[in-house]
Amino acid sequence: MLDIQAEAAPDRRPAIVICAWDADESGWDPVEDLSGVAWNPVGARTIPVAADDPETLAATLEAHLRERGCRALLLVGRTGHGDAFQIQMRAENRVLNGTGRLDDTGPGLARATAPAAEIVQALTDAGLAAAASSESEADAGSYLLYRILSSLPDGTDSPAIGLLRAPETASDAAVQRGVKAAAAAMASHLSPLPRSYGN
């Protein structure tokens, strides 16, 4: 006999939004098999967000982060600098084309809140060359990272927000492995949602 009450119980796993911002990026596919169900790390659930123009995407990601159950965001893209996966630890206050400031009154830099050292270790354990980088690349990834970090309200428990860059030469399989390793490392720092969630 089915336990209907158990089936109706709310999912108390915190959510991680995963977004590959480039529409041409084929490396990250959240659905592993024919079931159509997105991959989830242990202790969390994923919310895949498809690529879009940066303005629309920023608004979509900010809306997800305002939801009570969403505790993390992993942006996924490529880098032309080096042959290692990189965790970008900060983003500059720049418009998309890099010619001026995005926010005249905002800080010059915004620091990512994802656990960079743990992500680098997880990538290394997955057999991928990896490093943390303080360099901000002039692309939509850096723009989105700054926009989202600078839009977080003050005085709240900040979600884990990070940007993973795969080398341009990395295969789709390597990108899949890298995204899963990074998301799993982030998930290990997230606590279950309170019992009142969903009530």
Side-chain angles (χ1 to χ4, degrees):
M1 183 173 188
L2 295 174
D3 186 346
I4 295 174
Q5 185 174 3
E7 286 183 14
D11 189 340
R12 293 181 53 237
R13 294 175 300 167
I16 300 177
V17 172
I18 302 179
C19 175
W21 70 80
D22 187 345
D24 295 329
E25 176 56 60
S26 62
W28 168 243
D29 181 359
V31 178
E32 292 187 295
D33 53 37
L34 297 177
S35 70
V37 176
W39 170 84
N40 294 303
V42 173
R45 59 191 170 88
T46 55
I47 300 173
V49 173
D52 207 330
D53 71 87
E55 291 296 327
T56 302
L57 198 50
T60 300
L61 297 173
E62 288 167 357
H64 277 294
L65 288 170
R66 284 193 295 271
E67 294 176 6
R68 189 171 165 211
C70 186
R71 301 300 304 134
L73 165 65
L74 180 62
L75 295 166
V76 179
R78 297 278 183 165
T79 179
H81 305 296
D83 295 322
F85 281 76
Q86 297 176 11
I87 296 299
Q88 186 171 317
M89 296 191 300
R90 64 185 192 175
E92 296 179 5
N93 182 353
R94 293 281 178 227
V95 293
L96 263 174
N97 64 13
T99 59
R101 290 174 66 91
L102 174 65
D103 183 348
D104 289 336
T105 60
L109 291 172
R111 299 194 179 279
T113 55
E118 288 90 339
I119 294 173
V120 169
Q121 185 61 55
L123 291 165
T124 302
D125 291 346
L128 302 167
S133 174
S134 294
E135 296 302 315
S136 181
E137 299 190 23
D139 63 8
S142 293
Y143 171 82
L144 289 167
L145 184 62
Y146 183 89
R147 271 278 305 265
I148 291 160
L149 289 169
S150 64
S151 72
L152 294 175
D154 292 330
T156 62
D157 182 21
S158 294
I161 298 173
L163 192 162
L164 174 67
R165 292 183 180 278
E168 287 183 349
T169 56
S171 67
D172 287 358
V175 174
Q176 291 273 0
R177 205 159 72 245
V179 172
K180 289 180 180 180
M186 293 170 75
S188 70
H189 285 261
L190 304 178
S191 56
L193 300 174
R195 291 190 184 276
S196 60
Y197 178 74
N199 293 343

